[in-house]
Amino acid sequence: MLVFEDVYFYHQKDAPILKDIHFTIQSGEFVSIVGKNGCGKSTLAKLMNGLLLPKKGDVRFHHLKTANSADLIEIRQQIGFIFQNPEDQFITTTVRDEIIFGLENIRVPKEEMEQRVQWASKAVGMEFYLDSMPHELSGGQKQRVAIAAILAMRPQCIIFDEATSMLDPLGRDQVLTLMHSLSQQGLTIIHITHHMEEVLHSDRVLLLDNGQICFDGQPIDLFKSVSLKDYALLEPVAVRIHRLANEAWSFTADWEGALRQLWDTSLKT
Ligand SMILES: Nc1ncnc2c1ncn2[C@@H]1O[C@H](COP(=O)(O)OP(=O)(O)OP(=O)(O)O)[C@@H](O)[C@H]1O
Ligand SMILES: [Mg+2]
């Protein structure tokens, strides 16, 4: 359970980035976080695992508190972070060393490491690349290695901060499939994205605007009740087609004409 209680954050005192943030994320939830560029999504994510500390209020993970420096090692082991650019997260020269590096940081006994390396690399389908150099891999493969390095630490929660945004459709699909499979295995998944198609299958979505949470609920209710354009977000195609179809069919019985018109309109909007 991840709890934000009355959280405020700023870099300069007179310019708060996050204000009065309250929410609880239950273990095993798949939560998407959306909002305009610069609205504070990454700041919120970094507060979750203590990469940033609140200026006011508390961030708690179960009995641990990010403000307690003694709790930080365990929090960072329990809450993994996958960044947008896979290049930014590699430190070593082989996939195997990359996974081992994280394990050394949390002091996993040497004799347990190989088994964890094998298990985590297999979980992301990268078991045949253990001796490859991370920088030579494709974008999707790099993100899967980054996920393996986190998984090997056996976290309870993984935050993906726009982790799919630099990938082609295949790489994106692979990472999204992996996220959903981890969620089905009981991990808590927090997915920051600008792609509303990716939000459709989450349990819950938080919409952030102007440093505050302005929607917290199921994706379907977000699409029904919020004008996404106001937040620089696009409706998922299925939702857009459904809305336009309702509008088109209400004034014509000519379904073929309506379909043609709908197609033209959908291309323009
Ligand atoms: N070190 C810093 N000093 C001052 N302001 C900062 C600093 N880091 C971030 N900010 C500001 O904090 C605000 C929130 O940034 P954040 O990166 O959390 O937004 P975001 O929602 O993740 O944006 P994006 O969608 O572009 O990733 C932005 O206005 C940004 O300029
Ligand atoms: Mg960001």
Side-chain angles (χ1 to χ4, degrees):
M1 195 165 79
L2 177 68
V3 180
F4 272 58
E5 212 166 68
D6 191 27
V7 170
Y8 285 72
F9 183 82
Y10 51 81
H11 290 283
Q12 286 134 9
K13 206 166 182 183
D14 52 349
I17 289 166
L18 293 172
K19 293 169 271 190
D20 191 25
I21 304 281
H22 288 267
F23 61 80
T24 297
I25 293 177
Q26 300 295 346
S27 298
E29 270 192 297
F30 191 126
V31 180
S32 295
I33 301 179
V34 299
K36 291 178 190 150
N37 288 136
C39 71
K41 302 179 296 297
S42 295
T43 306
L44 188 72
K46 287 175 187 158
L47 285 162
M48 289 178 181
N49 77 341
L51 285 173
L52 293 174
L53 298 177
K55 301 292 180 187
K56 182 176 169 237
D58 279 328
V59 176
R60 294 197 311 273
F61 185 66
H62 298 289
H63 61 286
L64 307 165
K65 212 163 155 183
T66 60
N68 292 343
S69 51
D71 290 348
L72 272 183
I73 291 184
E74 194 176 346
I75 289 177
R76 294 206 183 127
Q77 177 186 341
Q78 295 298 341
I79 307 182
F81 209 115
I82 305 289
F83 294 90
Q84 176 175 24
N85 186 350
E87 303 281 350
D88 290 348
Q89 35 209 345
F90 295 128
I91 292 152
T92 66
T93 50
T94 67
V95 169
R96 180 190 300 280
D97 286 350
E98 201 53 44
I99 300 175
I100 286 176
F101 180 79
L103 297 181
E104 282 173 344
N105 271 340
I106 58 163
R107 301 193 188 99
V108 171
K110 273 233 163 346
E111 54 279 12
E112 204 185 313
M113 282 187 185
E114 185 56 26
Q115 183 222 336
R116 288 213 197 188
V117 167
Q118 293 296 337
W119 171 80
S121 58
K122 214 166 173 181
V124 302
M126 291 298 288
E127 68 271 34
F128 302 118
Y129 293 84
L130 285 173
D131 297 317
S132 305
M133 292 170 72
H135 296 280
E136 289 176 352
L137 301 174
S138 74
Q141 289 173 328
K142 282 179 188 154
Q143 280 304 52
R144 284 191 281 147
V145 170
I147 295 167
I150 297 291
L151 274 184
M153 294 195 260
R154 306 246 163 93
Q156 292 181 26
C157 170
I158 304 185
I159 302 167
F160 295 81
D161 190 354
E162 297 194 47
T164 56
S165 66
M166 295 178 78
L167 306 183
D168 67 15
L170 179 64
R172 169 179 298 220
D173 263 8
Q174 288 171 339
V175 171
L176 285 170
T177 304
L178 187 54
M179 285 163 65
H180 282 282
S181 129
L182 295 173
S183 165
Q184 276 158 11
Q185 291 165 45
L187 265 84
T188 307
I189 303 290
I190 296 171
H191 179 36
I192 298 175
T193 182
H194 288 283
H195 293 269
M196 299 307 283
E197 310 288 340
E198 297 180 0
V199 167
L200 275 171
H201 301 289
S202 30
D203 299 320
R204 177 175 170 194
V205 51
L206 303 181
L207 171 62
L208 212 57
D209 191 51
N210 204 15
Q212 288 185 301
I213 292 176
C214 56
F215 178 91
D216 178 354
Q218 293 187 0
I220 199 74
D221 293 326
L222 174 76
F223 304 138
K224 276 192 210 155
S225 63
V226 173
S227 167
L228 294 177
K229 269 189 198 153
D230 298 346
Y231 301 95
L233 295 167
L234 285 176
E235 288 170 312
V237 171
V239 175
R240 190 176 346 162
I241 296 283
H242 182 260
R243 180 175 54 76
L244 291 168
N246 276 343
E247 287 166 13
W249 261 271
S250 65
F251 63 79
T252 178
D254 168 17
W255 66 269
E256 282 184 29
L259 201 59
R260 242 177 272 123
Q261 188 187 358
L262 173 61
W263 186 246
D264 289 346
T265 325
S266 112
L267 290 176
K268 280 180 214 145
T269 52

